[in-house]
Amino acid sequence: PRFASAAMCRWLIENARGRLSRALVYEAISREVMAKPTRTNTAAVFNIVATDFVFVLAQLRMAACLGVPLRQFEAITVLHYDAGEEITEHYDFIDPKLPSHAQEIAEKGDRVVTFLVYLNDDYQGGETAFPRLDISHKGTRGEGLFFVNSAQGRADTRTLHAGRTPVGGEKWIVSQFVRDRAVL
């Protein structure tokens, strides 16, 4: 519940605000990132060059919670949802049903964990929904939540999830993907 302080949440939002662009979806078959109608929100990606101490501190706290080395983390991303924006139901793991699954896993590893940090809570709606688990969670400012997408090479299809649209106010959230091997 108290993963990040209010000051850290404000810092992350303010540093992301001027960097927002259309959130993209990774298409494993074509191996491209692209805009898709299933994702209408915006995002600010902070790669190793663009990140600062506060982002690294957040990642170090995530690594400590998970017991995973920081070198397995992808670039940290701050997601922004205005009223009406969403990401529909999807998985974060590399789908084993895809023909390029084995090659993708061999080259980059799998996304085994997704770690979310809720940066604000002054909006209505906007839940993170897990329809196969019948769970819908709004989160509170500073709360961290993680879920395991894949374990020991087996994708967990119960992790199907969506970022629902806020109906009043705007939603800010950190999304951090963790791979099963070093990416740095």
Side-chain angles (χ1 to χ4, degrees), residues 6-7 33 35 38 40 62 77 88 107 113 150 153 162-163 167 177:
V33 289
T38 57
T40 57
M62 291 175 200
T77 302
T88 61
E107 290 176 10
V113 174
S150 178
V167 292
F177 297 126

Side-chain angles (χ1 to χ4, degrees), residues 112-127:
V112 292
V113 174
T114 300
F115 202 116
L116 305 175
V117 181
Y118 296 87
L119 301 178
N120 72 320
D121 54 14
D122 53 343
Y123 56 89
Q124 300 300 315
E127 296 86 359

Side-chain angles (χ1 to χ4, degrees), residues 1-6 9 117-121 140-144:
R2 291 185 211 110
F3 178 83
S5 69
C9 292
V117 181
Y118 296 87
L119 301 178
N120 72 320
D121 54 14
T140 57
R141 181 175 64 183
E143 178 182 352

Side-chain angles (χ1 to χ4, degrees), residues 83-159:
E85 295 178 344
E86 66 179 339
I87 182 167
T88 61
E89 294 174 359
H90 66 284
Y91 297 109
D92 289 342
F93 58 74
I94 307 303
D95 191 342
K97 295 178 191 152
L98 297 175
S100 61
H101 171 261
Q103 182 179 2
E104 180 78 11
I105 296 292
E107 290 176 10
K108 297 182 179 180
D110 202 353
R111 286 179 169 169
V112 292
V113 174
T114 300
F115 202 116
L116 305 175
V117 181
Y118 296 87
L119 301 178
N120 72 320
D121 54 14
D122 53 343
Y123 56 89
Q124 300 300 315
E127 296 86 359
T128 305
F130 295 85
R132 291 197 172 152
L133 297 171
D134 198 28
I135 295 172
S136 190
H137 184 72
K138 181 177 182 247
T140 57
R141 181 175 64 183
E143 178 182 352
L145 169 78
F146 71 87
F147 51 95
V148 178
N149 301 303
S150 178
Q152 300 170 342
R154 294 181 50 117
D156 187 343
T157 58
R158 296 173 303 165
T159 62

